[in-house]
Amino acid sequence: MTKTKENKKLFNKVFWRSFLIQGSWNYISGQGIGILCMLTPFIKKIYPNPEDKPKRVEALKRHQTYINMTPAFSTFLVGILASMEEKNAELDDFDASSINAVKASLMGPLSGIGDSLFWVTIRVIAAGIGISLAKTGNILGPILFLILYNVPSFICRFYGTPLGYNIGGDFIEKSYKNGLIKVVTKAAGLLGMIMVGAMIVSTVPLKTPFVFKMGDMTFKLQEILDQILLSIIPLTLTLGCFFLVKRKVNPNKIIIILVVFSFVCSFLKILA
Amino acid sequence: MLVPALCVAFVMFLGNLSDAGMSDPMIRRPLVMAMVVGLLLGDLRKGVLMGASLEVIFLGINGIGGAMPADVMTGSIFGTAFAILNHQSTSVALSLAIPIGLLAVFIKQIVMFIKGLMVPLFNRFAEEDNIKKIEHLQIASIFIGPLIYALIGFLGIYLGNSSISLLVHSIPKFVMDGLTVLSKVLPALGIAMLLNMIQEKGNTMYMILGLLMASYLKLPLIAIAILGTILAIIIATTDKQILDNKNFLNDLKLLGNNNSVVKSSDTIEEDFFND
């Protein structure tokens, strides 16, 4: 009873500390220090005595390694790490390097799921509703946007720590091996891709005003393109950019290409 | 210009603090930032309208981590502020916000550089077993970005506003037209960056599905999201079933192998005894 009560206090601490996760974000450790500072309440509890110092220092160093993920899922990861760290203190033959192995193997799927869910799906829905209200000058637009995005994010972070702590590293390792994580990642990615497709239509409003004459007949290029596929111009442009991004072309270079492209197309009256 | 400059400095401070110290609750997005600028500079309606237009342009462009093509937040704040202070239309504000956003990327580089310098310090504190110092430095690091952003916000308005208003009046038409097209082309890059995050072999067709739902069926985003969730759950359940069957078969095989091992040893034993 006292143990669960004590843990509950620590879970709350992790939730409040998760607000600072991006605090010292840098290219070397990413959110590493943020994750470490969420874990320190547990580290203090697990290695309380002066004679635990070597193990404590090791833990402090271990959790500074590079990590970058959706903040909404960070407490879930910290819960798992805390349960593994506890085992590390209890069992003599526990392989401490497995903690960082789990961390590294979870970073990909967790940010994959988190980005698809929060960055692509929830944020785009919230922004879509917010924008449509704000377009008419309604102040509720931005406010609703903040509420719609943050309520799921808060819930996710508040319940993440106990969930991760109770599931523990063993389950994660097992579901990594038997492929369960892949199934969840695939489903989240699928939803994200559907939203991306819808976003292309709603956010790239490009049309061509190009008109060409053939004898007495005039053809509007846009009408012909619409017969082939609606929003074919936005799709082609997005796929073009995607091709460059995937080729690891520097985003600033892509911007310069797009600036030149826009000015040329606007000058030749191809796009408007 | 002192009071508006202080107001913009405050908005820059708040925007960056929300990312570093509130785990990025999307306060730094143009939709919110432009509204706050409008509120403080006395033209709330224009701020909200500008926020809507800017959010559409920058919807896909991410500010956390990795390479970033534009400082969406700074561009939006300055664009809105200049439009309100110089009584310009929203289209002028948009054409200011984009180039400013592109130029302002260097601010983030400064902040990242300073935060990178702290990494050895964190390592040393860990070596010294000093948890308190690690936590204090982490809390202090939250304010590095906001202070730099606030300084640039203040100087930009205090020193820059008069030259910007001169500039605005001398923009030729073809530049304005080009910038308008650019504002419609830029979202494609943002979406391409999102795609790069989540695209995998075999899920490209779902993007086309979303595109068709929006363009031909004209469904609103929320309906597409709900349909997408249902589809994702259906596919995840079938995948889970296939996975369970596969794992079950594997277990059976393992069991079978073990049996055969036992059997073979039995037969060896039998053979041994028979001999």
Side-chain angles (χ1 to χ4, degrees), chain A residues 21 24 26 28-44 46-47 54-69 74 76-89 94-104 106-107, chain B residues 119 122-123 126-127 131 134 138:
Chain A
I21 182 171
S24 55
N26 59 68
I28 301 162
S29 58
Q31 302 160 332
I33 311 292
I35 292 281
L36 172 67
C37 286
M38 285 158 76
L39 256 174
T40 45
F42 276 102
I43 292 178
K44 273 190 234 163
I46 296 167
Y47 310 110
K55 272 194 154 178
R56 191 166 52 224
V57 168
E58 222 172 84
L60 288 178
K61 286 202 314 215
R62 183 163 44 233
H63 294 291
Q64 290 196 9
T65 46
Y66 181 88
I67 189 154
N68 190 24
M69 62 184 298
S74 58
F76 176 70
L77 177 72
V78 168
I80 292 169
L81 294 178
S83 77
M84 292 187 83
E85 206 56 70
E86 240 167 38
K87 264 201 199 131
N88 186 31
F94 189 86
D95 183 9
S97 66
S98 72
I99 299 177
N100 263 348
V102 163
K103 201 159 124 184
L106 265 182
M107 189 168 87
Chain B
V119 173
F122 279 118
N123 284 329
E127 207 75 66
I131 294 177
I134 293 177
Q138 166 80 352

Side-chain angles (χ1 to χ4, degrees), chain A residues 17 19-20 22-25 40 56 61 64 119 123 125 135-136 150 157 178 186 193 197 203 230, chain B residues 20-21 23 25-26 45 49 59 64 115 122-123 127 129 135 138 142 191 194 207 216 225 239 243:
Chain A
R17 280 159 182 248
F19 282 89
L20 307 188
Q22 314 249 50
S24 55
W25 206 107
T40 45
R56 191 166 52 224
K61 286 202 314 215
Q64 290 196 9
W119 185 255
R123 192 184 57 97
I125 296 168
K135 257 185 197 160
T136 59
N150 282 308
R157 269 189 293 143
N178 71 19
K186 184 186 159 194
M193 288 299 275
T203 60
L230 281 181
Chain B
S23 87
M26 296 294 141
R45 199 183 142 76
L49 289 173
L59 190 58
I64 352 160
K115 284 184 178 175
F122 279 118
N123 284 329
E127 207 75 66
D129 184 28
E135 289 173 351
Q138 166 80 352
I142 292 162
I191 296 171
L194 286 182
M207 181 187 79
Y216 283 92
D239 278 359
L243 192 74

Side-chain angles (χ1 to χ4, degrees), chain B residues 13-245:
Chain B
F13 184 88
L14 176 77
N16 196 257
L17 185 72
S18 76
D19 183 15
M22 302 176 209
S23 87
D24 199 14
M26 296 294 141
I27 288 176
R28 66 186 168 86
R29 294 303 302 177
L31 190 59
V32 183
M33 288 281 92
M35 176 193 73
V36 182
V37 171
L39 182 73
L40 290 178
L41 295 184
D43 196 343
L44 183 60
R45 199 183 142 76
K46 198 183 230 170
V48 173
L49 289 173
M50 283 236 22
S53 324
L54 283 164
E55 186 65 52
V56 174
I57 297 175
F58 292 122
L59 190 58
I61 293 179
N62 191 342
I64 352 160
M68 182 177 63
D71 187 337
V72 175
M73 185 189 90
T74 309
S76 315
I77 292 174
F78 272 113
T80 314
F82 285 137
I84 292 174
L85 291 174
N86 298 313
H87 307 285
Q88 293 289 341
S89 67
T90 40
S91 66
V92 173
L94 287 190
S95 50
L96 284 175
I98 295 168
I100 293 172
L102 300 181
L103 286 175
V105 174
F106 82 95
I107 310 176
K108 186 174 163 136
Q109 302 302 333
I110 300 173
V111 177
M112 284 297 144
F113 176 74
I114 297 174
K115 284 184 178 175
L117 293 179
M118 297 185 329
V119 173
L121 266 177
F122 279 118
N123 284 329
R124 213 181 69 204
F125 293 155
E127 207 75 66
E128 290 167 1
D129 184 28
N130 199 332
I131 294 177
K132 269 235 161 71
K133 269 193 181 165
I134 293 177
E135 289 173 351
H136 287 167
L137 188 61
Q138 166 80 352
I139 292 169
S141 69
I142 292 162
F143 296 98
I144 296 171
L147 287 174
I148 292 172
Y149 274 89
L151 185 71
I152 287 172
F154 180 82
L155 293 177
I157 298 294
Y158 194 71
L159 303 173
N161 192 42
S162 48
S163 45
I164 286 289
S165 66
L166 269 179
L167 184 77
V168 165
H169 288 291
S170 60
I171 298 177
K173 187 168 181 303
F174 81 94
V175 173
M176 285 295 287
D177 288 348
L179 283 169
T180 312
V181 173
L182 180 63
S183 74
K184 292 178 185 171
V185 169
L186 268 183
L189 174 60
I191 296 171
M193 292 175 79
L194 286 182
L195 255 181
N196 194 37
M197 266 159 44
I198 57 176
Q199 196 262 343
E200 272 173 18
K201 224 178 180 180
N203 70 6
T204 316
M205 58 180 178
Y206 295 109
M207 181 187 79
I208 305 296
L209 181 67
L211 184 100
L212 298 183
M213 285 202 265
S215 62
Y216 283 92
L217 302 179
K218 306 233 178 326
L219 291 174
L221 275 177
I222 186 89
I224 295 175
I226 294 169
L227 283 173
T229 312
I230 293 171
L231 189 65
I233 292 171
I234 292 172
I235 289 186
T237 7
T238 36
D239 278 359
K240 172 100 191 342
Q241 233 145 30
I242 293 170
L243 192 74
D244 285 348
N245 289 345

Side-chain angles (χ1 to χ4, degrees), chain A residues 148-177:
Chain A
L148 287 176
Y149 179 83
N150 282 308
V151 169
S153 160
F154 272 45
I155 292 173
C156 215
R157 269 189 293 143
F158 189 78
Y159 292 106
T161 331
L163 193 69
Y165 182 84
N166 292 329
I167 281 178
D170 298 344
F171 177 81
I172 293 297
E173 266 180 296
K174 222 162 116 200
S175 45
Y176 207 79
K177 270 189 196 132

